[in-house]
Amino acid sequence: MTTDIIADLVIHGGTIVSPDTEYKASIAIKDGAILAIGEQSAMPKAKEELDATGLHILPGAIDVHVHFRDPGYAQKEDFASGTAAAAFGGVTTVFDMPNTLPAISDAASLKEKHAIASAKAHVDYGLYAVLGEDSLPNIGELIEGGVIGFKCYMGNTFGRIPSPTTGAMLELFEIVAPTGKRISLHAETNSIMERREARLRQMGRSDPLAHLAARPAVVATEAVARAAILAEWTGARIHILHISSAAELRPLADAKARGVDITGETCPQYLLLSADDYEAKRGVIRVNPPVREVENQDPIWQALVDGTIDMIATDHAPHAPEEKTRADIWSVDCGFPGVETQMPLMLTEIARRGASLSDYVRWSAENPAKSFGLFPRKGALMVGSDADIAIVDTNRAWTIDDALIQSTAKISPWHGMHATALPIHTIVRGRFAMKDRQLQADARGWGRSVHDIQSMPVPDVRNENQTIAAVTSQAPSHTGSAAA
């Protein structure tokens, strides 16, 4: 069939993965959006074609939890290296946390960070602002300045952002609730952790497992339950970051059952690592909240599968090797890279855990997009959606090598782990950010704030020429679970 429309790119031969099914089809892309999905013979002519035979075509992952350290700690990571790592990991949108220097707590700091990100980013991004007592007067200007949401630090972590009192949290939730912005929570109770850490230090404990002993699962369980009560009272939309324990699942599920607008994420470190790894990995594994006992893994996996936990994220938090290898665990910086390795590790593990590629698409793309108001522009392979695509070889055996990752920080607990999946191409709004495992030079600065995208209508590319209706063969419709 012929048409007057010329696509920018047509992808042939791959297997598309939706939240419900897998099917073979071609995808045509024009002006950054998906123009058509269907039989190869029905596709329009294109300026460029890509043969994806033998590969799987997924919506680009949306990582709602990264720390790119820019501004203030660019020696650890910046937006260029962090988003390059995202592109190599099949991640097309990232949400960056506000514990930078300065912290993102007012319009001026937010504007500065938007300028940094827009100049350097290879993939699309959202920016969080701090939700605390200091930023309370600035909530209106932060929303106007273009935040994806707010980050509330109930417990201490890198950057030492002050934790608000429960009274301040209630007031903050009351102010944010009418705006519809989601509040992401580092849900650990600070007072418990500080007392336990002080006791351990007095006892002379400085071994890696002392970090776990200072932050038992009760600190997270209590914080999740308390945050859910405040959200229920105020109508605030909340998101529980880095769920690390089985104990947190009950207050999360109970809150959902009560109708609280609450979502949750977990990270590969809580699914694939355990306390058994502290002896070998030592300070490299230190992260907040800590990697826990192995008996937490199966319940967290099951919660992903049954929808109690909505999404997968990484808490990508790089540090220099010397900051991760100190002998005293209390002086080791918390966090490690993960945005580049999440997709390969998860796709390697899902079959063993009884999950599917469709499940992974829900966790990594659809549910994050729905939770933060980006669906269907993001998180879906549908006509009119942004052409954010990860093209993956799900039968590629390889071994993770820290020396070869894109992140500035060349140290992680993933070094030496084997994977059987690898993103080969990553496309962001129709443009290759990574192609044939090579970063594309012209992709730097292509990344756009999702705030700008949210304010734009979803394009109806079919209006350009009515003949496209005859060309387009829509993918099977789906009603994947909504996380919002």
Side-chain angles (χ1 to χ4, degrees), residues 64-251:
V64 304
H65 190 172
V66 303
H67 298 265
F68 285 165
R69 308 302 192 198
D70 202 355
Y73 307 100
Q75 74 278 10
K76 298 174 184 281
E77 188 85 286
D78 70 358
F79 254 88
S81 60
T83 55
F88 270 72
V91 177
T92 54
T93 303
V94 292
F95 296 173
D96 192 57
M97 289 296 170
N99 55 334
T100 48
L101 191 64
I104 309 307
S105 59
D106 57 26
S109 58
L110 178 62
K111 183 178 180 180
E112 178 191 3
K113 190 164 182 177
H114 270 302
I116 291 168
S118 64
K120 297 181 180 181
H122 298 85
V123 304
D124 286 345
Y125 59 89
L127 301 181
Y128 282 104
V130 172
L131 189 66
E133 295 179 51
D134 291 343
S135 64
L136 189 153
N138 306 326
I139 289 172
E141 67 185 49
L142 287 164
I143 291 174
E144 186 176 346
V147 293
I148 187 63
F150 290 92
K151 171 72 173 288
C152 181
Y153 290 87
M154 299 176 73
N156 69 74
T157 188
F158 180 82
R160 291 289 173 178
I161 305 292
S163 299
T165 64
T166 301
M169 278 184 63
L170 178 62
E171 185 175 349
L172 290 161
F173 279 27
E174 288 173 329
I175 294 169
V176 174
T179 74
K181 290 292 183 183
R182 195 170 289 276
I183 301 167
S184 291
L185 295 140
H186 184 120
E188 291 185 292
T189 301
N190 208 50
S191 58
I192 300 174
M193 297 187 297
E194 288 187 346
R195 291 181 65 88
R196 295 179 76 91
E197 181 176 328
R199 285 167 46 198
L200 288 161
R201 285 176 178 267
Q202 290 170 1
M203 294 165 56
R205 289 282 302 276
S206 62
D207 58 285
L209 282 169
H211 176 62
L212 175 58
R215 304 171 96 107
V218 67
V219 305
T221 308
E222 192 277 340
V224 172
R226 179 157 47 99
I229 290 170
L230 298 181
E232 185 175 23
W233 183 264
T234 61
R237 306 173 72 227
I238 64 172
H239 176 66
I240 306 300
L241 300 164
H242 40 46
I243 292 169
S244 62
S245 70
E248 293 163 77
L249 301 174
R250 185 171 73 175

Side-chain angles (χ1 to χ4, degrees), residues 133-375:
E133 295 179 51
D134 291 343
S135 64
L136 189 153
N138 306 326
I139 289 172
E141 67 185 49
L142 287 164
I143 291 174
E144 186 176 346
V147 293
I148 187 63
F150 290 92
K151 171 72 173 288
C152 181
Y153 290 87
M154 299 176 73
N156 69 74
T157 188
F158 180 82
R160 291 289 173 178
I161 305 292
S163 299
T165 64
T166 301
M169 278 184 63
L170 178 62
E171 185 175 349
L172 290 161
F173 279 27
E174 288 173 329
I175 294 169
V176 174
T179 74
K181 290 292 183 183
R182 195 170 289 276
I183 301 167
S184 291
L185 295 140
H186 184 120
E188 291 185 292
T189 301
N190 208 50
S191 58
I192 300 174
M193 297 187 297
E194 288 187 346
R195 291 181 65 88
R196 295 179 76 91
E197 181 176 328
R199 285 167 46 198
L200 288 161
R201 285 176 178 267
Q202 290 170 1
M203 294 165 56
R205 289 282 302 276
S206 62
D207 58 285
L209 282 169
H211 176 62
L212 175 58
R215 304 171 96 107
V218 67
V219 305
T221 308
E222 192 277 340
V224 172
R226 179 157 47 99
I229 290 170
L230 298 181
E232 185 175 23
W233 183 264
T234 61
R237 306 173 72 227
I238 64 172
H239 176 66
I240 306 300
L241 300 164
H242 40 46
I243 292 169
S244 62
S245 70
E248 293 163 77
L249 301 174
R250 185 171 73 175
L252 176 65
D254 286 350
K256 288 189 172 191
R258 300 196 309 269
V260 178
D261 192 338
I262 182 172
T263 57
E265 73 181 35
T266 193
C267 309
Q269 51 265 35
Y270 307 117
L271 298 167
L272 302 175
L273 302 174
S274 76
D276 298 340
D277 294 301
Y278 279 79
E279 183 176 0
K281 299 182 185 295
R282 303 193 64 77
V284 177
I285 205 175
R286 190 182 189 210
V287 65
N288 296 326
V291 170
R292 302 194 181 279
E293 299 82 1
V294 70
E295 55 263 30
N296 291 282
Q297 289 182 348
D298 284 346
I300 295 174
W301 270 105
Q302 183 55 44
L304 260 179
V305 172
D306 68 25
T308 302
I309 295 176
D310 303 273
M311 65 193 77
I312 189 79
T314 65
D315 195 6
H316 173 94
H319 300 285
E322 60 270 21
E323 296 168 330
K324 294 296 294 178
T325 53
R326 297 168 182 145
D328 182 343
I329 195 61
W330 307 116
S331 67
V332 173
D333 282 358
C334 295
F336 43 76
V339 71
E340 185 170 344
T341 49
Q342 176 268 120
M343 184 179 289
L345 288 170
M346 290 297 294
L347 294 182
T348 299
E349 189 71 7
I350 55 173
R352 192 171 74 83
R353 293 286 180 166
S356 67
L357 290 174
S358 290
D359 290 325
Y360 176 76
V361 165
R362 274 196 303 279
W363 307 334
S364 66
E366 183 184 56
N367 283 354
K370 287 183 173 180
S371 295
F372 286 86
L374 300 178
F375 190 86

Side-chain angles (χ1 to χ4, degrees), residues 17 22 94 152 162 237 356 426 444 481:
V17 185
E22 301 176 25
V94 292
C152 181
R237 306 173 72 227
S356 67
T426 300
R444 178 175 169 139
S481 60

